Amino acid sequence: MSSMRVAEVSTPGGAFRLVEREVPRPGRGQVRIAVEACGICHSDAFFVDNALPGLSFPLVPGHEVAGRIDALGEGVTGWSPGDRVAVGWFGGNCGHCRSCRTGDFITCAFLQVPGWAYPGGFAEAMVAPAGALARIPDGLSATEAAPLGCAGVTVFNALRHSAARPGDLVAVLGLGGLGHLGVQYAAAFGFDTVAIARGADKEELALRLGARHYLDSTAVTVADALRDLGGAKVVLATAASSDAMSRTVDGLTPRGELVVIGASPDPLDVTPLQLITGARSIRGHPSGTARDVEETMAFTARSGVRPMVETVPLAEAGAAFQRMRDGAARFRMVLTTDR
């Protein structure tokens, strides 16, 4: 094909419109991907609203991409046309900054995020560096694989690199796009899993996803309830509420940790004494490299963990984006190109 459809935003905060663009050619070290599915992430709102430096408009978001390679640029080895691949938040790295030189590619000072560094996956095709590719296993469909490139790998990595070990009490704060995956992964890792959310109506879902305990944060004092269960070795904070995160700290065990992956601009309300007396810690966790995405997908395919998605055609990207933004998605919105 010589042209393709993309869902773009012309001005900051503007509406999505479906337009035709010339199909891009991959440059040296790049591949072109025929997009089959692309997840809509809360982080996409930062791009659409021009809330990050270096953005340019018109803008094509999308950093939860799944599809097939349909063209290779010069110098690309190890990949072939037809390979099923995903590209997530990690869309390439510079290779020369301090982080890259120590092998910590996800904290690259010049990290290339699709939709920010180059046009993303709200399109029928996109070009990405070969180093950003993760191979999709046969056990996952494109719509299942797409959200794992950001939401899935973030949760998976945060838990597997945490202080918790099988059998430890691990609490997942929030039961949305990140949290519903967090509960599943925590249970699959062998943690004594607690789900924390607002309202009694979410308990049935939490237990079905693998939680052994459910805490309705509107009915209990969360820290007290966690202590009654023996204390949490880890609280995985997926809900974007700094207040809700802060209220879990006193429910951590000695040397327990609050791992923050829910993005909020508000400060945490935690005193130094809360951390010092129990030797507790708070840390943030970024997404993951292409290799991390590949390992996340492989584990997901084997374990039976699955994202719960709503699929919407690319032409309805604007409505799907608004549904995500309104908090109405159950639980990840995924655009499809019907390829």
Side-chain angles (χ1 to χ4, degrees):
M1 61 180 177
S2 59
S3 66
M4 65 177 186
R5 299 178 304 157
V6 306
E8 70 174 26
V9 176
S10 299
T11 58
F16 279 90
R17 60 177 190 154
L18 198 68
V19 301
E20 294 277 334
R21 286 191 181 185
E22 183 178 349
V23 175
R25 294 183 178 181
R28 182 172 182 83
Q30 297 178 328
V31 305
R32 187 172 66 219
I33 301 167
V35 177
E36 297 175 343
C38 184
I40 301 177
C41 180
H42 282 273
S43 300
D44 288 317
F46 295 131
F47 302 168
V48 171
D49 293 342
N50 199 26
L52 297 168
L55 291 164
S56 60
F57 291 78
L59 179 141
V60 180
H63 58 268
E64 292 186 342
V65 184
R68 295 178 185 271
I69 295 174
D70 76 348
L72 302 177
E74 184 182 353
V76 174
T77 59
W79 300 97
S80 302
D83 286 349
R84 301 179 68 226
V85 295
V87 179
W89 178 265
F90 179 87
N93 62 294
C94 74
H96 59 75
C97 71
R98 184 183 182 92
S99 289
C100 287
R101 285 173 62 83
T102 58
D104 190 9
F105 303 131
I106 193 59
T107 63
C108 171
F110 305 98
L111 186 70
Q112 300 172 54
V113 181
W116 187 356
Y118 51 84
F122 286 22
E124 291 182 314
M126 65 174 283
V127 166
L133 302 179
R135 198 175 299 276
I136 300 174
D138 291 339
L140 294 178
S141 68
T143 55
E144 291 170 333
L148 303 182
C150 183
V153 69
T154 301
V155 172
F156 181 82
N157 264 355
L159 286 172
R160 71 169 172 170
H161 295 309
S162 75
R165 297 295 178 263
D168 286 341
L169 191 78
V170 170
V172 178
L173 175 64
L175 203 57
L178 293 171
H180 88 286
L181 285 167
V183 170
Q184 292 182 74
Y185 284 128
F189 286 174
F191 300 143
D192 187 7
T193 304
V194 184
I196 307 169
R198 295 175 58 84
D201 58 313
K202 297 183 177 68
E203 180 173 8
E204 188 275 332
L205 172 64
L207 299 179
R208 180 156 48 89
L209 292 173
R212 292 187 66 241
H213 316 275
Y214 178 75
L215 301 181
D216 173 4
S217 62
T218 67
V220 301
T221 301
V222 170
D224 289 346
L226 289 174
R227 284 198 300 267
D228 289 342
L229 291 170
K233 186 67 174 179
V234 168
V235 172
L236 179 68
T238 72
S241 167
S242 297
D243 178 61
M245 296 179 196
S246 301
R247 287 188 276 113
T248 68
V249 172
D250 286 335
L252 292 169
T253 61
R255 305 197 183 278
E257 60 181 13
L258 172 64
V259 181
V260 178
I261 60 174
S264 170
D266 302 318
L268 295 171
D269 184 13
V270 179
T271 69
L273 279 177
Q274 286 176 282
L275 304 180
I276 293 169
T277 54
R280 302 182 180 104
S281 62
I282 300 173
R283 65 179 179 87
H285 187 85
S287 180
T289 65
R291 179 60 183 168
D292 292 326
V293 174
E294 209 163 87
E295 291 173 351
T296 300
M297 291 191 294
F299 180 88
T300 301
R302 291 193 303 268
S303 66
V305 172
R306 291 295 185 274
M308 299 171 68
V309 304
E310 294 184 40
T311 58
V312 177
L314 178 65
E316 299 175 23
F321 179 81
Q322 192 60 48
R323 184 165 172 78
M324 175 280 297
R325 195 159 207 172
D326 292 341
R330 294 293 180 265
F331 285 91
R332 302 296 291 187
M333 302 301 299
V334 176
L335 300 176
T336 61
T337 59
D338 299 322
R339 287 187 177 277

